[in-house]
Amino acid sequence: MRLDWRVAATIGALVGAAVLYPKLPANNAVTADLSRTQVTFDGVAGYPAISPRGDFLAYVKAPCDQSGKSGFLDLDIDESTAVPRVADCSGQRNHHTGHVAFRVPYIRSPRFTHDGASAVFLAQLDSLREGTFVLSRLGGVARQIGTVGIFDTHAASDSVVFIAGRWRRPKAPYACILNTATGAVVDSIAMPSGVIDDIAWSPNGRFFAVNVAALVLIIGRDGTAIDSMPTRRRATVRWTPAGDGILIVRSAPVKDDERVLIPVARNGRFAGAPTLVMPRLQMLYRGEFDVARTTGRVMLVSGDAIQDLWTFDVSASGAREARQRTRSTIWYGAPSISPDGRALYYMRGDAIGDNLYRLSISADTASEVALSNTRGPANFETGMSADGRHVTFAKATASVTEVGVLDVGSHRIDIRIQPTVNGGLPHDASRILDVLPSGRGLVVFDSTGRVAREIKALDSVTIIRFTTSPDETHVAMLLSTGGQIVLGVTPIGRWE
């Protein structure tokens, strides 16, 4: 029996570079001279750190840029390896780069100590060692000083402020001051929130700047919340060398970000509105940068994210006739293909927002069929019903998932709100089938977005992906259970 079908895939490439800017002048304003020095050229560097005098850089190279991974492709070494690199930039034209650690599952967030002799970083070195480590700039043995968390080093002493907890998850209710040499806790400070994304210690040691949800907070050394300011921003926050302001990256329309400075008075209160320092930065939606504490030189990751759609004709003998369907510098993603292989639906990002498009595969022409009216951070998914009559397109923000159901024949769109993450697949014309937020089962929503039925999975099973059979009576799932990834099939009405 011959099996033939057509599939669509999103193939992405990241063009990234670590970039040096001139030092910030005394008034913290960038002059017309925005000359820069590019120090990486393979497009796969991330998590930048710069020493206090700006003469050394540290950055990470790792397997891939997918959710749950540490970040950036490295073609120079084993593909299961993450590598922090240190570059000597005392002579910018011929800087020297060398590995200081290698062959580890992940490394993130390096920060130089006050003298630039060592780097503090988050890592999993092997199956038994995961946490916060200190490593000499010249290499050697990494010493663990804490568990997994966020941290910053002190500008003038061997101390680290540390908050235990994983990225984008609740953190410990207090911060610890650690001795870099021994890892001993010398003080603890109550924090006003358990959802802190990043923390920066002021040069005079009196304040902490923290990113909390949509706020930037200034906290005193005793844990007192001094001032706050709402702003849309990326995770990283840094102080100016003089301690008279904090620097953040603010998300801007389309692909651009902008680095802004918020002035801070001597008493720790904000002294004015955010001031634009570096406009129109393409930073891969990450906003990763660091500031040299004594010279004000800035290191940041810059580049462009390119993601295109391809189709493949697949048979039992393998894939053939690969064809690129989109060619542009904007974002394409979340493809769903019709059961007959004639149409491709996908999300496209542009100046208006991230919107739903239809591509006729035979004619190779695309048209816009729905607007999401979304700018800024959001996750998108599309889904195709088994009969090809309905398409879902969902946008998930931090607070809500909005699902649109497109009737392919009439182009009528029904918008509904659902308490799920993915958006789901059209089911029984007016219903949607999706994964429970916990991943421990399936849920059917009615036409109003309310839960009509739940199909609970076993406690040991987490659903990663799913699709329905052509007759919509069964569900095929990619499951995580017992530390393994397996395929499973169950009737839609019950778990078997």
Side-chain angles (χ1 to χ4, degrees):
M1 182 176 69
R2 178 181 174 86
L3 297 176
D4 288 281
W5 63 92
R6 177 171 287 159
V7 298
T10 303
I11 300 178
L14 294 179
V15 183
V19 178
L20 280 173
Y21 275 92
K23 67 178 182 179
L24 289 172
N27 61 358
N28 294 321
V30 172
T31 64
D33 180 14
L34 286 179
S35 60
R36 63 196 71 179
T37 301
Q38 184 171 339
V39 296
T40 65
F41 297 88
D42 52 12
V44 291
Y47 299 107
I50 188 167
S51 64
R53 293 195 303 270
D55 48 356
F56 288 94
L57 311 176
Y59 53 93
V60 176
K61 303 181 73 175
C64 64
D65 188 38
Q66 298 176 358
S67 177
K69 305 298 182 181
S70 58
F72 296 81
L73 178 68
D74 191 338
L75 303 177
D76 299 328
I77 52 173
D78 183 87
E79 289 189 355
S80 63
T81 303
V83 180
R85 301 192 172 199
V86 174
D88 180 354
C89 288
S90 54
Q92 293 185 12
R93 292 186 178 180
N94 298 298
H95 65 273
H96 170 72
T97 303
H99 301 276
V100 294
F102 55 93
R103 296 187 183 279
V104 299
Y106 76 79
I107 297 177
R108 300 183 185 129
S109 309
R111 294 286 281 143
F112 279 98
T113 54
H114 74 284
D115 57 3
S118 300
V120 182
F121 57 92
L122 177 66
Q124 182 181 354
L125 300 185
D126 52 46
S127 61
L128 299 178
R129 294 182 298 165
E130 182 180 20
T132 305
F133 296 85
V134 178
L135 182 65
S136 169
R137 191 185 71 225
L138 301 178
V141 178
R143 292 181 292 104
Q144 186 167 0
I145 61 171
T147 59
V148 174
I150 59 173
F151 55 87
D152 192 22
T153 54
H154 191 274
S157 67
D158 288 325
S159 298
V160 173
V161 58
F162 173 82
I163 304 175
R166 293 187 178 273
W167 170 242
R168 295 196 182 282
R169 297 182 185 177
K171 307 295 191 298
Y174 54 87
C176 296
I177 305 299
L178 307 179
N179 182 284
T180 308
T182 64
V185 178
V186 298
D187 197 2
S188 61
I189 306 161
M191 290 284 106
S193 173
V195 289
I196 295 173
D197 292 334
D198 196 20
I199 185 168
W201 204 343
S202 67
N204 60 15
R206 295 174 53 201
F207 309 110
F208 303 110
V210 298
N211 278 335
V212 179
L215 295 175
V216 180
L217 297 179
I218 301 296
I219 300 172
R221 179 63 173 75
D222 59 356
T224 303
I226 298 174
D227 206 351
S228 65
M229 179 177 292
T231 182
R232 65 185 191 280
R233 52 36 180 200
R234 307 296 182 190
T236 305
V237 59
R238 294 288 186 266
W239 287 87
T240 60
D244 56 356
I246 60 171
L247 293 160
I248 61 173
V249 172
R250 188 167 57 184
S251 56
V254 198
K255 297 183 296 180
D256 294 333
D257 282 339
E258 51 194 24
R259 199 158 66 90
V260 299
L261 179 138
I262 308 176
V264 178
R266 296 178 62 124
N267 61 1
R269 293 192 173 275
F270 290 119
T275 301
L276 184 61
V277 176
M278 291 182 179
R280 301 187 63 82
L281 298 172
Q282 292 186 356
M283 300 180 68
L284 298 171
Y285 307 100
R286 296 176 176 272
E288 296 174 1
F289 73 96
D290 197 18
V291 180
R293 285 183 165 129
T294 60
T295 65
R297 179 168 287 169
V298 177
M299 181 186 183
L300 58 85
V301 172
S302 178
D304 195 8
I306 301 172
Q307 189 164 280
D308 282 304
L309 299 178
W310 291 63
T311 57
F312 300 84
D313 289 337
V314 181
S315 67
S317 60
R320 54 188 174 82
E321 295 186 19
R323 184 171 179 181
Q324 185 175 349
R325 297 293 178 174
T326 59
R327 290 178 177 84
S328 185
T329 58
I330 62 178
W331 177 84
Y332 297 93
S336 289
I337 197 166
S338 62
D340 58 11
R342 295 180 179 180
L344 178 65
Y345 291 84
Y346 58 90
M347 303 300 295
R348 168 182 165 179
D350 52 32
I352 299 174
D354 294 306
N355 307 312
L356 181 69
Y357 279 73
R358 180 188 185 276
L359 174 74
S360 171
I361 291 180
S362 59
D364 205 19
T365 57
S367 59
E368 185 180 81
V369 294
L371 302 178
S372 74
N373 296 320
T374 296
R375 295 185 184 182
N379 296 319
F380 290 90
E381 294 287 343
T382 65
M384 173 71 67
S385 64
D387 59 9
R389 295 181 180 179
H390 296 87
V391 178
T392 56
F393 58 103
K395 62 177 181 180
T397 63
S399 58
V400 70
T401 298
E402 182 179 292
V403 181
V405 182
L406 171 71
D407 185 292
V408 172
S410 66
H411 282 194
R412 180 180 178 273
I413 298 173
D414 179 25
I415 302 294
R416 57 190 75 171
I417 304 298
Q418 293 180 187
T420 52
V421 177
N422 303 308
L425 296 176
H427 174 62
D428 291 340
S430 63
R431 298 188 175 192
I432 291 178
L433 180 69
D434 202 358
V435 179
L436 287 168
S438 64
R440 300 299 175 85
L442 299 169
V443 58
V444 177
F445 294 99
D446 63 20
S447 59
T448 66
R450 296 179 180 177
V451 175
R453 185 172 73 253
E454 290 187 6
I455 305 107
K456 294 293 183 65
L458 301 176
D459 291 340
S460 60
V461 169
T462 300
I463 302 173
I464 302 174
R465 286 283 184 180
F466 77 99
T467 189
T468 56
S469 61
D471 59 4
E472 295 190 348
T473 61
H474 289 74
V475 181
M477 297 165 291
L478 189 65
L479 306 171
S480 173
T481 178
Q484 296 181 325
I485 304 298
V486 299
L487 289 172
V489 178
T490 187
I492 287 182
R494 62 191 184 278
W495 187 271
E496 292 185 359

